[in-house]
Amino acid sequence: RAAAAALAAAALLLALLWLGPLPRMAGSAFSPHMILHLGVTVVAGPLIAFGLIGLARDRTIRHPVALALGASLFEMLVVWGWHAPVLHELAAARFPAFVAQQASFLAAGVLIWAASFMGNTRAAAGVGVFAMLFTFMHMAMLGLLLTLAPDLVYAPAFCLGAWGLDPLDDQRLGGALMAVLGGLPYLAGGLALTWRLLAD
């Protein structure tokens, strides 16, 4: 029941995110893009991952280190890649690129949480700690870079501002959201796995 509830909650959240006003706003402002990104990656992604874990009968991972490293690298490439100016602006301007962006965000979110929490051995939990903390560090770093940037990172046409903020403050808000709300869930995940190791 818990697994089914998690999957249902993720489906409802994704519908609200993707069918609401955020995709339209994300085409011309940075903070709505970041709210959409974080909702997909650090809320819907873990819900789906834990739902799938709850439904899995066999939680044995044959190569936990390779899986965790691969998931970590994939997540980093997805996040940093889509926030490079060329790809971010492409996703804001072209619907097929936006769909690819959102699909890769969701895949990265599901994969990193599933790879970290799927295993039931100490080795799997140990590499899960690494995957979570590595993701926390690079998410916080990218968020801080966007927050502290003295000028707009993206073209003005894609940074018109939202919520009454001017473009640069809107970019800084988006960066702060990534640094805090994007990083802390992974830190909490790493601490939870560390607690599991200490309890064992």
Side-chain angles (χ1 to χ4, degrees):
R1 290 181 180 179
L7 293 173
L12 177 60
L13 175 62
L14 290 173
L16 292 173
L17 291 172
W18 287 336
L19 300 179
L22 286 176
R24 178 183 56 80
M25 296 175 67
S28 59
F30 189 70
S31 62
H33 155 80
M34 190 56 63
I35 294 170
L36 186 62
H37 167 203
L38 296 179
V40 170
T41 306
V42 302
V43 183
L47 285 172
I48 293 174
F50 290 128
L52 295 176
I53 290 171
L55 296 176
R57 294 184 177 181
D58 183 8
R59 293 179 56 189
T60 301
I61 299 178
R62 295 183 179 181
H63 304 288
V65 175
L67 180 61
L69 289 177
S72 299
L73 292 175
F74 175 70
E75 203 274 346
M76 184 179 70
L77 289 174
V78 165
V79 171
W80 284 74
W82 283 113
H83 288 94
V86 172
L87 291 183
H88 176 80
E89 294 167 11
L90 179 65
R94 299 282 184 256
F95 183 70
F98 173 79
V99 172
Q101 178 199 67
Q102 295 299 306
S104 60
F105 280 162
L106 183 60
V110 173
L111 184 60
I112 189 67
W113 287 91
S116 298
F117 283 86
M118 183 71 178
N120 54 10
T121 65
R122 288 178 58 84
V127 295
V129 171
F130 165 80
M132 287 281 105
L133 296 184
F134 175 76
T135 306
F136 159 71
M137 288 188 291
H138 83 72
M139 288 281 283
M141 183 182 300
L142 179 56
L144 286 174
L145 289 175
L146 292 168
T147 303
L148 300 176
D151 299 304
L152 290 176
V153 176
Y154 307 106
F158 304 104
C159 293
L160 300 180
W163 327 114
L165 298 172
D166 66 47
L168 185 56
D169 285 339
D170 180 65
Q171 177 180 285
R172 288 171 175 165
L173 173 60
L177 290 172
M178 171 175 274
V180 179
L181 300 182
L184 287 181
Y186 297 102
L187 177 61
L191 293 175
L193 288 170
T194 301
W195 179 259
R196 179 187 296 181
L197 284 172
L198 294 175
D200 289 343

